[in-house]
Amino acid sequence: MTQKSALITGITGQDGSYLAELLLEQGYEVHGMVRRASTEKFDRIEHLREKITLHQGDLLDQRSLVDAIRASKPEEIYNLAAMSFVATSWIQPTLTADFTGVGVTRMLEAMREAAPESRFYQASSSEMFGKVLEVPQTESTPFYPRSPYGVAKAYGHFITVNYRESYDLHATSGILFNHESPRRGLEFVTRKITWHAAAIKHGLSSELRLGNLDAERDWGYAKDYVKAMWLMLQQDGAEDYVIATNKSNTVRECCQIAFDEAGLGDFEKYVVLDPAFVRPAEVDHLIGDYTKAERDLGWKPETTFEQLIRLMTKSDLELLKP
């Protein structure tokens, strides 16, 4: 049996690095697409550099996408690249639309031209549900996005469905709820909390500034979630799936667990509420029902929220150890 080939856009990100590891374990030839930048950030995949092939490409540049697909000859394409931070989407709304929305169309067009037989995964997001119209959210819950990022993701989601139905492509969207790990960027609230708990413990910081402590999310472990992406592309037919834990937790609970793991006791002594971190339009109650994924893919989350926050805090305590 010949070795399968996969192309991952966004391979230098949290999900891309975990997915690359998983695909290598499954015996794949792994290709990644990276943007040309003046400062190259490969820290999440540094340990894989000798095992993967990188191609330069950009979701804003159609030709480069075709070239990357032609060079990698993938049986599977995972489109994980996007402007991934919701808060930034308020500052750069049109760039977010171009990358996270229209970029998906460019990717699908490139696939249609260069590898129409390959299977396509689109990283959709629970942020598309936004001001939720039902709890919990399933694959059939209507979208009501509350940020430029959520709106762009909804476009990317629907254009993937459209190409699947119009051109008979094997194109799937995974509607992933928040998923975290020690590789999460520091701008994301869970990692911001675990990093600051570790920094305060080691005497490197004295406070943690946060916005809405009562904001709730359905948080899972990125390493669990990339397995769901892979399972989707192993199915004979392409369908869309919600990937979540069906439980929600607050920012406050995240603080309690992280500061407990760091041995600091009451987190409220260190947390400063800062209006600068409150969103213009808050998302209400995101909680995902993964019933369909469990039924069709045999997938369910393996890591609890508490286990996740504790392992992230342990990792940051080790990372910042003097």
Side-chain angles (χ1 to χ4, degrees):
M1 185 175 154
T2 56
Q3 189 179 28
K4 265 189 175 179
S5 171
L7 174 64
I8 304 170
T9 74
I11 195 169
T12 59
Q14 168 189 257
D15 293 6
S17 63
Y18 282 120
L19 180 61
E21 287 174 353
L22 174 71
L23 295 177
L24 287 168
E25 285 167 17
Q26 298 288 344
Y28 280 66
E29 180 185 305
V30 176
H31 297 259
M33 196 181 83
V34 293
R35 292 172 67 205
R36 176 77 187 92
S38 52
T39 54
E40 312 238 311
K41 277 199 62 154
F42 294 137
D43 47 316
R44 292 186 184 98
I45 56 166
E46 202 55 59
H47 62 298
L48 304 174
R49 285 295 290 278
E50 302 304 312
K51 301 174 185 173
I52 60 179
T53 307
L54 297 180
H55 306 267
Q56 283 195 356
D58 195 314
L59 288 180
L60 302 182
D61 182 61
Q62 183 80 35
R63 187 78 252 145
S64 69
L65 303 181
V66 173
D67 290 347
I69 290 174
R70 285 217 167 108
S72 55
K73 301 184 178 64
E75 277 102 328
E76 296 172 8
I77 298 168
Y78 295 87
N79 186 40
L80 310 186
M83 292 274 287
S84 64
F85 188 44
V86 176
T88 305
S89 77
W90 296 102
I91 302 161
Q92 298 180 305
T94 50
L95 186 62
T96 299
D98 216 355
F99 257 117
T100 306
V102 183
V104 185
T105 316
R106 293 191 191 97
M107 204 67 211
L108 286 161
E109 274 295 300
M111 170 183 164
R112 207 158 70 87
E113 179 181 331
E117 299 305 309
S118 63
R119 297 183 172 193
F120 182 85
Y121 172 85
Q122 166 57 18
S124 286
S125 166
S126 60
E127 290 287 331
M128 301 185 303
F129 294 121
K131 190 176 174 67
V132 300
L133 299 177
E134 64 180 8
V135 179
Q137 293 88 54
T138 70
E139 292 78 9
S140 58
T141 302
F143 298 148
Y144 194 148
R146 298 267 279 171
S147 67
Y149 172 81
V151 173
K153 277 290 186 185
Y155 174 93
H157 179 87
F158 280 125
I159 201 70
T160 302
V161 173
N162 188 260
Y163 270 61
R164 174 169 76 217
E165 294 175 351
S166 302
Y167 301 114
D168 199 28
L169 298 177
H170 194 297
T172 290
S173 284
I175 306 171
L176 270 58
F177 281 62
N178 291 60
H179 45 290
E180 319 296 312
S181 75
R183 297 180 192 172
R184 193 57 143 153
L186 289 172
E187 67 272 26
F188 292 89
V189 69
T190 49
R191 180 73 199 291
K192 181 179 177 180
I193 290 167
T194 63
W195 188 92
H196 275 85
I200 292 167
K201 177 65 175 178
H202 289 316
L204 304 172
S205 182
S206 60
E207 65 177 30
L208 163 60
R209 304 184 81 84
L210 292 171
N212 180 10
L213 292 184
D214 296 315
E216 290 184 43
R217 292 289 183 278
D218 181 328
W219 276 299
Y221 185 22
K223 201 168 180 179
D224 293 348
Y225 283 31
V226 297
K227 188 174 183 187
M229 299 177 186
W230 175 72
L231 286 168
M232 285 178 218
L233 294 200
Q234 310 318 304
Q235 306 306 301
D236 292 336
E239 292 187 38
D240 305 323
Y241 292 92
V242 162
I243 302 299
T245 70
N246 207 5
K247 294 184 174 69
S248 70
N249 294 89
T250 62
V251 172
R252 186 183 304 278
E253 288 168 300
C254 182
C255 290
Q256 286 166 341
I257 296 166
F259 279 75
D260 178 68
E261 184 62 38
L264 290 167
D266 182 12
F267 75 91
E268 290 183 356
K269 291 188 290 194
Y270 307 99
V271 169
V272 177
L273 296 179
D274 186 339
F277 294 111
V278 177
R279 290 184 186 180
E282 184 55 82
V283 167
D284 302 318
H285 195 183
L286 288 177
I287 177 166
D289 181 347
Y290 62 88
T291 301
K292 182 182 176 186
E294 186 171 21
R295 184 190 71 219
D296 293 1
L297 311 176
W299 181 90
K300 60 183 178 183
E302 295 170 23
T303 311
T304 68
F305 177 70
E306 181 169 345
Q307 288 169 335
L308 169 64
I309 299 306
R310 288 191 185 280
L311 78 85
M312 287 172 66
T313 308
K314 278 184 187 137
S315 172
D316 280 327
L317 283 164
E318 188 61 33
L319 177 74
L320 298 176
K321 194 160 69 179

